[in-house]
Amino acid sequence: MVKNIAVLSGDGIGPEITHEGIKVLNQIANQYGHTFNYELADFGAEAYFKTGSPFPEATKKICDQADTIIKGPVGLAVEKMLEIPLEQRPEKGAILPLRARYDTFANYRPVYLPPEYADFSPLKKEVIGNGINILMIRELVGGIYFGNKTEGVETNNTYASDDCHYDYAKIKRIAVTAFEEATKNPFNRLTNIHKSNVLATSRFWNQVVEEVQENYPDVEYQSVLVDNAAYQLVINPAQYNGVMLLNNMMGDILTDQAGGVLGSLGLMPSACIGTEKGYVEPAHGSAPDIAGQNIANPYSMIGSIAFLLEKCFNLEKEGQAVWNALKAVFGNGYRTKELAGNHTDSSHILSTTAFGDKVVEYLQKH
Ligand code: IPM
Ligand code: MN
């Protein structure tokens, strides 16, 4: 297979972890006989300072022409970010436009913590039990993040409002995606998150999700209010093993909470998939304070590469090989310095590049 990949390595630790991701991808290309061509493009806060835009036209062109996109985290230290006008900050000026441009409606964020990594979570071992394995699927291009935003003045008062809008087609396609994943998932279970006791959009969401559910009678289905789900995720996360379906904002919040349950967002790869194109990115930030020291953890980026193989190129076997290698290296206790705890044996503390090398070494041997 020959594929062209746009590489937006981003800010802070972005370039370092992206380098490890590509190292792993190149190993897969060698082992399985594929050709991956890469084109680097500016994206994020550094891109703004260099070109005046966080998502420059040249980058758009490279992304339009590529088969898929690897995106690193974006953002610099707070003082630097304040120098950027609101409209040009990466969230508003780059990330949301990237999602809208390629209509990447399905955001996959796996919350995976096998018992071998249990020491990593701030939760008690008994709570982790046999492990957490929730595939969170977040709707990524609708709802309150993309609705009309107004700030204004009403008689003797000022106000701001954000519209939350969901139409039938937008809910249906993400529901179908989630149910399809649930049928492939070993738990064969789907948990739908909503706030139907208050929100009209949630009542409509449930109606559409439950219509789709009729086509998947074998998937165990439950629907849970978002506030209760936030509570239950900490009390007993494994009850949600399987697929969890969330709207844009609820997904934003609960995926970060799930990162906390795991012990770090550094353990959360992600993929944002549209009908024609997708991109992959780690769910964590750009950690500018530790950039350039070769200590950042490339786990989420390497996991995102597994997603790229699976979800963007339909290379299931290759994707699985990357997951297996990543889980084996991490499961054997290897950590980058930033993630290492008191329990980490000093011989198992690796630099960013050495962690990538270990994953490559595992791939070579298996
Ligand atoms: C995420 C991020 C983004 C979001 C921000 C940076 C716009 O928090 O991918 O979860 O809110 O979706
Ligand atoms: Mn977020």
Side-chain angles (χ1 to χ4, degrees):
M1 179 179 278
V2 179
K3 292 285 184 191
N4 297 322
I5 305 174
V7 179
L8 321 180
S9 56
D11 301 317
I13 59 171
E16 298 162 63
I17 59 172
T18 304
H19 183 265
E20 297 317 299
I22 289 178
K23 191 191 268 178
V24 170
L25 205 45
N26 283 336
Q27 178 60 29
I28 290 290
N30 284 340
Q31 270 180 248
Y32 293 83
H34 303 300
T35 303
F36 300 135
N37 303 313
Y38 307 100
E39 193 156 4
L40 274 171
D42 296 318
F43 188 84
E46 297 273 20
Y48 167 79
F49 288 111
K50 188 170 149 197
T51 71
S53 165
F55 190 12
E57 287 307 314
T59 299
K60 288 181 185 155
K61 204 166 153 208
I62 291 172
C63 292
D64 286 352
Q65 285 165 356
D67 294 301
T68 195
I69 302 160
I70 298 175
K71 176 194 155 293
V74 294
L76 295 170
V78 184
E79 341 46 280
K80 265 320 239 182
M81 297 302 279
L82 293 176
E83 288 175 28
I84 309 179
L86 197 61
E87 297 296 317
Q88 298 291 332
R89 293 207 188 130
E91 295 84 351
K92 224 171 163 202
I95 298 175
L96 295 187
L98 176 69
R99 291 173 184 170
R101 190 173 185 89
Y102 302 113
D103 196 23
T104 56
F105 66 92
N107 179 207
Y108 297 80
R109 293 187 172 174
V111 186
Y112 176 71
L113 194 79
E116 310 90 88
Y117 312 2
D119 60 299
F120 212 75
S121 171
L123 301 184
K124 295 191 189 92
K125 268 202 161 49
E126 313 82 89
V127 177
I128 307 298
N130 295 325
I132 307 173
N133 193 354
I134 309 170
L135 176 59
M136 289 190 164
I137 299 185
R138 166 188 177 195
E139 198 292 323
L140 201 61
V141 294
I144 195 165
Y145 287 26
F146 285 87
N148 277 337
K149 309 198 176 312
T150 42
E151 283 160 74
V153 188
E154 261 166 357
T155 26
N156 293 331
N157 208 351
T158 45
Y159 76 97
S161 82
D162 295 281
D163 288 350
C164 183
H165 185 276
Y166 265 113
D167 61 36
Y168 181 85
K170 274 212 169 111
I171 302 171
K172 181 155 182 186
R173 64 181 182 175
I174 192 72
V176 169
T177 302
F179 275 103
E180 285 295 322
E181 280 296 333
T183 58
K184 289 192 258 162
N185 189 282
F187 296 94
N188 205 34
R189 178 193 290 146
L190 188 143
T191 305
N192 173 39
I193 304 299
H194 61 93
K195 184 69 186 169
S196 67
N197 52 352
V198 177
L199 303 176
T201 42
S202 273
R203 284 191 287 273
F204 183 54
W205 173 279
N206 288 356
Q207 206 180 303
V208 181
V209 169
E210 279 153 29
E211 182 190 302
V212 172
Q213 185 221 344
E214 287 176 11
N215 299 326
Y216 298 88
D218 298 334
V219 174
E220 185 192 326
Y221 173 79
Q222 54 181 341
S223 109
V224 182
L225 286 162
V226 64
D227 46 351
N228 185 30
Y231 169 78
Q232 298 290 340
L233 258 179
V234 178
I235 299 291
N236 176 16
Q239 68 182 295
Y240 296 136
N241 282 353
V243 170
M244 183 180 270
L245 171 62
L246 307 110
N247 78 13
N248 202 344
M249 184 167 186
M250 295 175 192
D252 189 20
I253 297 170
L254 288 196
T255 56
D256 259 44
Q257 186 185 332
V261 165
L262 295 181
S264 171
L265 273 176
L267 291 187
M268 196 182 279
S270 99
C272 309
I273 305 298
T275 33
E276 270 151 42
K277 203 173 290 198
Y279 73 92
V280 296
E281 62 174 356
H284 58 73
S286 54
D289 50 320
I290 60 159
Q293 297 175 37
N294 200 18
I295 59 170
N297 157 42
Y299 181 104
S300 290
M301 180 53 96
I302 296 172
S304 300
I305 294 299
F307 259 142
L308 178 140
L309 291 161
E310 247 176 72
K311 303 277 180 221
C312 303
F313 298 163
N314 289 319
L315 295 173
E316 295 263 341
K317 195 167 37 130
E318 289 83 338
Q320 204 49 54
V322 173
W323 284 122
N324 291 343
L326 181 60
K327 287 168 184 173
V329 170
F330 205 84
N332 285 335
Y334 290 104
R335 305 280 185 270
T336 49
K337 186 167 156 221
E338 173 223 3
L339 278 192
N342 298 335
H343 38 261
T344 312
D345 184 306
S346 63
S347 67
H348 281 60
I349 301 183
L350 303 178
S351 66
T352 309
T353 44
F355 190 95
D357 292 342
K358 271 263 179 259
V359 174
V360 166
E361 201 181 294
Y362 186 94
L363 282 169
Q364 279 164 342
K365 288 192 190 143
H366 294 83

